[in-house]
Amino acid sequence: MNSVKLVQIEPTTRCNFTCAFCSGRHMEQRDLEFHSFQTVVDRMPELECMELQGEGEPFLHPRIYDMIRYAKDHGIQVSSISNGSLLTAANVEKLLDCGLDSLNISIESPEPEEFKKIRGGDLNKITEGIRRLVKRKEERGTLTPVIGFSVTVLKSTASKLDDIFMLYEKLGMDGGISIQFLNASREYSRHYTEKENGEYLTGKEQLLIRRDYFRRLGHIQINKTAEHFFTRIEEAVKVNSGQAGYCVWLEDAIYINCQGYASSCVYIKDGEHLGLGHVERDGMESILEARRKEQEAIRSCIPTKSCAYINCEVVKQIKNMALN
Ligand SMILES: C[S@@+](CC[C@H](N)C(=O)[O-])C[C@H]1O[C@@H](n2cnc3c(N)ncnc32)[C@H](O)[C@@H]1O
């Protein structure tokens, strides 16, 4: 089976914030060509769900609303994660017009000063934008985009999660709250300073935070009419997690970076050398064939160049099997 239902596309690596843990700041600063975006949509007719977000701020792309509209016109559910700094009155109307299904706003702390230290942005301006979007949705009588929070849980801010839940309720949000911990893979951690290295949580701490998070999640309003891309990813993982060597990215999804390189996984940041090909120069047929070969290799327990580079869970499983 070579049909791809889930795609994550990086519109840009440019950003107006300064989060120290973000690897995008160390990458080439550029936007994805609109034509490359169209090629991906046109050549993958089985696409069902798209995440428009990579390492930069997606809403800085000059044609982001056209991208969303184009995908929606092709019957694709579209979600995104944003720093929320660009929710001006005019942009809120554009957002409602283009048909985005789900928008998560990133937050690590609900305290403006701490937020500014971590992200370099103005939390009050962001909450003002969220309020504006919630209000205009109501006035226009539309349920989408559902609007939630994405929280990168740091050691120094883990105790603020409860207050983030309260802020979600206070702002009348409806897209749920997702959490993730600081990414430990080399592609991210090689840019961390001592300060970011001190923000890791132990496995036990993560477990306790997750337990508390799920308990709280059960008590907030979530509109399930529109699912975020990552909910689909989590569902696919749940269904297939019993299968040895199952990789949700390799089997169900694909990543396209803002240079136009496709890769079998979102964690591959060097799409040019470790990816599956360029969407324009190599074409989607060649990319899907390269993906099929990677799938075959992994299913036969042969780590591929890109997967071994990431040293992901599937590759660890394969190495363990070889040792036993
Ligand atoms: C890379 S940002 C891109 C979208 C947008 N610029 C934003 O700030 O939401 C998407 C999400 O990834 C998270 N993120 C970035 N770098 C990370 C890292 N090293 N580990 C874990 N999460 C990270 C951010 O906090 C944010 O919630």
Side-chain angles (χ1 to χ4, degrees):
M1 214 230 352
N2 211 7
S3 75
V4 186
K5 295 195 169 59
L6 311 175
V7 67
Q8 179 167 352
I9 303 182
E10 176 178 67
T12 183
T13 36
R14 293 186 300 114
C15 192
N16 52 350
F17 277 21
T18 53
C19 312
F21 48 72
C22 176
S23 59
R25 298 184 311 122
H26 306 275
M27 293 158 72
E28 182 197 359
Q29 300 294 289
R30 59 164 289 163
D31 295 342
L32 177 69
E33 296 288 338
F34 187 68
H35 188 258
S36 299
F37 173 83
Q38 285 176 308
T39 304
V40 174
V41 175
D42 294 348
R43 309 303 290 194
M44 292 202 291
E46 286 105 352
L47 281 180
E48 290 175 3
C49 195
M50 175 186 290
E51 173 75 5
L52 267 178
Q53 169 256 137
E55 290 299 335
E57 169 49 39
F59 288 87
L60 281 178
H61 193 289
R63 298 199 66 184
I64 188 73
Y65 301 102
D66 294 333
M67 287 181 180
I68 299 168
R69 181 77 273 158
Y70 194 79
K72 290 299 297 173
D73 286 346
H74 284 73
I76 301 168
Q77 176 143 346
V78 187
S79 58
S80 184
I81 301 180
S82 166
N83 64 26
S85 63
L86 300 162
L87 290 171
T88 60
N91 286 344
V92 162
E93 299 310 315
K94 285 189 210 164
L95 203 56
L96 292 167
D97 290 340
C98 72
L100 183 72
D101 293 286
S102 170
L103 178 68
N104 273 12
I105 305 296
S106 298
I107 184 169
E108 288 79 33
S109 169
E111 291 162 15
E113 266 183 37
E114 190 172 37
F115 183 95
K116 193 166 195 93
K117 271 192 197 138
I118 297 169
R119 310 208 118 237
D122 181 350
L123 181 61
N124 289 326
K125 191 175 158 209
I126 293 163
T127 52
E128 198 182 298
I130 294 173
R131 278 203 182 90
R132 188 177 284 129
L133 177 56
V134 170
K135 182 166 175 271
R136 287 299 293 143
K137 256 171 68 176
E138 216 175 281
E139 286 168 357
R140 288 177 57 158
T142 174
L143 294 175
T144 54
V146 297
I147 173 159
F149 278 140
S150 274
V151 185
T152 300
V153 186
L154 308 171
K155 200 174 191 102
S156 62
T157 56
S159 62
K160 310 285 165 71
L161 201 51
D162 253 19
D163 292 342
I164 291 177
F165 270 90
M166 286 200 278
L167 182 63
Y168 173 96
E169 290 186 307
K170 193 171 139 198
L171 294 173
M173 295 166 78
D174 59 356
I177 298 178
S178 68
I179 62 165
Q180 60 177 338
F181 299 98
L182 205 58
N183 197 307
S185 76
R186 201 173 69 179
E187 282 298 83
Y188 295 81
S189 63
R190 68 194 169 108
H191 301 300
Y192 296 164
T193 64
E194 211 174 305
K195 186 169 186 310
E196 285 77 55
N197 283 329
E199 294 287 9
Y200 283 119
L201 288 145
T202 64
K204 192 171 171 200
E205 286 168 335
Q206 291 188 16
L207 202 75
L208 291 173
I209 290 167
R210 266 190 207 287
R211 195 181 296 163
D212 196 44
Y213 159 76
F214 282 116
R215 183 187 57 75
R216 294 247 20 187
L217 201 62
H219 292 97
I220 57 170
Q221 289 287 336
I222 302 178
N223 180 349
K224 300 240 165 97
T225 46
E227 274 181 326
H228 201 98
F229 171 87
F230 292 109
T231 315
R232 286 286 301 268
I233 290 271
E234 279 160 23
E235 275 165 13
V237 171
K238 255 187 233 157
V239 170
N240 297 291
S241 59
Q243 269 174 259
Y246 170 77
C247 166
V248 67
W249 279 96
L250 203 47
E251 296 292 337
D252 294 301
I254 199 163
Y255 181 69
I256 315 287
N257 75 9
C258 66
Q259 297 169 315
Y261 287 104
S263 54
S264 50
C265 157
V266 66
Y267 300 116
I268 295 168
K269 296 300 168 199
D270 181 2
E272 185 176 357
H273 300 105
L274 296 166
L276 304 167
H278 191 273
V279 296
E280 306 265 23
R281 294 197 283 278
D282 301 297
M284 285 313 292
E285 284 75 12
S286 155
I287 286 170
L288 294 177
E289 181 54 21
R291 179 176 177 270
R292 196 190 58 74
K293 284 190 181 141
E294 284 213 358
Q295 286 172 334
E296 249 178 42
I298 289 288
R299 286 182 197 140
S300 311
C301 295
I302 303 164
T304 64
K305 186 173 65 167
S306 52
C307 297
Y309 180 78
I310 298 301
N311 197 17
C312 62
E313 285 311 311
V314 175
V315 171
K316 283 180 199 155
Q317 276 177 33
I318 292 172
K319 285 180 181 162
N320 282 343
M321 280 192 288
L323 288 175
N324 291 329

